Amino acid sequence: MLVHPVLHVSLFKAYGTSQDPRHRQASPPPMEADGELNWIVKAVVDSRRNGSKRGRPVEYLVTWEGYPD
């Protein structure tokens, strides 16, 4: 007998950030370049096409300078 793992939506809780201040990570300050504030991308880890077939935007997964991997 095969069992299909199905869970009712009422069993899920919404994701929330940790309220414990020890688990929070301070954001690194942005760098100023050409009068604009920018954060530095350390590396592009992955990319994917998202959305409908026509004009699908590309989304990138990146690691940021100043954050742990």
Side-chain angles (χ1 to χ4, degrees), residues 7-69:
L7 301 174
H8 192 269
V9 71
S10 66
L11 297 174
F12 292 97
K13 291 191 274 184
Y15 173 79
T17 58
S18 174
Q19 300 301 321
D20 188 353
R22 294 174 294 166
H23 293 147
R24 292 187 184 161
Q25 180 178 351
S27 300
M31 305 293 288
E32 187 170 345
D34 299 327
E36 295 182 4
L37 296 177
N38 298 300
W39 284 266
I40 300 173
V41 174
K42 186 188 302 184
V44 176
V45 180
D46 198 7
S47 66
R48 68 177 181 183
R49 293 255 181 211
N50 194 11
S52 65
K53 291 185 179 185
R54 210 164 106 202
R56 295 177 6 189
V58 179
E59 294 179 343
Y60 296 98
L61 177 63
V62 298
T63 55
W64 298 97
E65 196 71 40
Y67 281 101
D69 294 334

